[in-house]
Amino acid sequence: MRRRGRAVPAALVAALSLLPAGRRNGFAHGGPPAAVTEDRLSGAGGTAPAPDRPGPPPTGRTGERGADAGESRPHEAPGRGTPRVRLRAWAELLRVSAVFSVPGDALAGAAAVGRRPGRGTASAIGASLCLYEAGMALNDWADRDEDAVDRPHRPIPSGRISPAAALGAAGVLTAAGLALAARAGRPALTVATGLAATVWAYDLHLKHTKAGPAAMAAARSLDLLLGATATAEGAAPGAGTPGGGRLSDNVAGVTAAATAAAVPTPGSLTACQPALPAALVLGAHTYGVTAVSRHEAQGGSTGVPLAVLATTTALAASVLGGGERSSRATDRNAVPPPGGTPGQDLSGQDLFGRGIPGRGLLGRDLPGRATDPLRLLVIGLTGAYLRTAGPPLLHAALNPSPPLTQRAVGGGIRAMIPLQAALTARAGSPVTGLAVMGLVPLARSLARKVSLT
């Protein structure tokens, strides 16, 4: 009996020695996982990641997982301190690819009042650029909390530019814009002050209200009127033909009898009235682009792109509208616009061409002959406007996704350049219109590097 009792434990020990090590430590019975054996199917010790989760970081030079693996840290962006990275961050904040849509405002305003671009026009362009960029910086500063959710890659939420720096840049650029406008005279400063106030009001409050698109449209219209006012003011002391010293007669149905000795401020502001129709056209286009941009983060709007597409078509028709030239007498004393000749039908109309047969919204008819070079140029520029703005709007209407909506907004911004060129050429300045159109390749090239929106 004693031999049999000793034989049983010996048999149990022999049997246990034949079991695998995993079962020996109690794993098969729910014991604690003291030692995990390697799973050769997954190659990760039995801890292969789920398909929807990223795998473990690669092994570093020290052999420890995650060590020296180049992990990204929110507060230490790679190369954040290099001048190239800082420059790109500011380029993104200021949307430098969109600045090429700004100079055409002042040039179109100068053409609308029948003047060649001069020093006043250059000051207006500089002021417009500064105020435009101030609006861009202020926009991202005001939207920094919203962008942290919808657009975390932007300079402020990503930490590449601080909110204080963006706000400071907006203030400095606004002051610089007003200073440049002051160089063109007090009337230009008055218009620029209204433009700056509109930009700040839009960015800080109005863009989140129903008045947002109207405020942005007013800003773009004021920008064109700034160019018209600065150009007329700069040309006032010696405007007109030699010995004439006058602004263009019958401008907006009002005789601007400004002498070379002194031109009062109200008269100078009145001198920009011929640019109002062109400003309204450009403002209407801006209203549509802004209305579409309100849906660029979430998408989902079909009716807005369709309505803006219809508006774009109507604006193109207004640029091409009008019949034969009026047979009324022309102003022989008016300064010929660039590329034009004296007496190029600058008189005989009220502000919107009312009461004179054959005149359209813009107050000046295109030549009646289909082969006239000026008419062909305006048709080509207007076609470029439709080609740039139309297809993205149609795509956004058919599929109102955020990417296509953003593309429609970018197309609307780029389309401002051919629209400005068409308005400039239609006003009798084909050479200036072609110069404005020459900004398109530059804008397109830069837009590949910095987004417009």
Side-chain angles (χ1 to χ4, degrees):
M1 293 296 294
R2 291 182 179 176
R3 290 184 177 179
R4 292 183 60 184
R6 293 179 179 177
V8 172
L12 289 176
V13 172
L16 289 175
S17 65
L18 297 177
L19 293 176
R23 293 186 181 273
R24 220 174 25 232
N25 61 18
F27 246 43
H29 303 283
V36 182
T37 58
E38 181 180 6
D39 186 345
R40 298 192 181 275
L41 292 180
S42 65
T47 58
D52 58 340
R53 296 179 183 175
T59 302
R61 289 176 296 181
T62 62
E64 297 179 2
R65 189 174 303 277
D68 195 25
E71 297 177 357
S72 61
R73 297 177 180 143
H75 60 283
E76 287 186 13
R80 177 184 175 186
T82 63
R84 182 176 181 180
V85 172
R86 290 199 303 267
L87 182 62
R88 178 170 182 83
W90 281 103
E92 293 178 11
L93 179 76
L94 300 177
R95 316 287 201 282
V96 294
S97 57
V99 299
F100 295 102
S101 68
V102 177
D105 290 344
L107 294 174
V113 295
R115 298 294 176 187
R116 294 187 180 93
R119 286 185 297 179
T121 313
S123 297
I125 291 175
S128 298
L129 289 171
C130 289
L131 294 176
Y132 185 85
E133 296 290 38
M136 290 296 180
L138 186 63
N139 175 79
D140 277 22
W141 178 85
D143 287 349
R144 61 191 184 279
D145 295 332
E146 178 183 343
D147 287 344
V149 177
D150 296 332
R151 307 173 186 90
H153 60 278
R154 284 191 170 178
I156 294 179
S158 65
R160 290 175 290 160
I161 295 178
S162 67
L167 182 60
V172 171
L173 287 169
T174 300
L178 295 178
L180 286 171
R183 293 175 59 89
R186 185 176 299 176
L189 177 60
T190 301
V191 177
T193 302
L195 173 58
T198 304
V199 169
W200 279 73
Y202 172 82
D203 284 331
L204 296 181
H205 176 66
L206 293 179
K207 66 179 172 184
H208 298 298
T209 67
K210 293 182 179 180
M216 184 59 72
R220 183 64 74 160
S221 297
L222 285 172
D223 198 30
L224 189 146
L225 294 177
L226 174 60
T229 305
T231 303
E233 176 73 4
T241 55
R246 303 173 50 134
L247 296 172
S248 300
D249 295 332
N250 295 317
V251 174
V254 179
T255 302
T259 61
V263 181
T265 298
S268 297
L269 289 175
T270 303
C272 74
Q273 288 185 2
L276 281 177
L280 291 176
V281 170
L282 195 59
H285 172 79
T286 306
Y287 185 101
V289 175
T290 308
V292 175
S293 70
R294 294 164 75 92
H295 304 275
E296 65 178 343
Q298 291 82 21
S301 175
T302 298
V304 173
L306 281 177
V308 175
L309 180 60
T311 302
T312 300
T313 305
L315 293 177
S318 70
V319 175
L320 296 175
E324 298 285 340
R325 285 181 187 266
S326 173
S327 60
R328 299 174 64 123
T330 58
D331 184 8
R332 297 293 176 182
N333 293 325
V335 175
T341 56
Q344 196 171 16
D345 197 19
L346 294 176
S347 64
Q349 76 266 18
D350 64 2
L351 180 59
F352 294 97
R354 292 177 295 218
I356 300 179
R359 295 197 178 273
L361 172 66
L362 296 175
R364 185 179 306 184
D365 294 329
L366 292 174
R369 298 187 304 275
T371 57
D372 189 283
L374 180 60
R375 186 179 188 88
L376 292 177
L377 176 60
V378 175
I379 290 175
L381 295 175
T382 306
Y385 164 64
L386 283 173
R387 176 66 181 83
T388 305
L393 287 171
L394 181 60
H395 295 160
L398 296 176
N399 180 12
S401 62
L404 291 181
T405 303
Q406 293 171 10
R407 190 173 300 175
V409 175
I413 296 174
R414 289 191 299 270
M416 288 182 182
I417 300 178
L419 178 59
Q420 294 160 346
L423 292 172
T424 303
R426 196 188 194 285
S429 300
V431 176
T432 306
L434 289 174
V436 173
M437 195 62 184
L439 299 174
V440 171
L442 299 176
R444 186 177 301 170
S445 175
L446 196 56
R448 297 189 183 102
K449 301 179 181 179
V450 181
S451 174
L452 288 169
T453 61

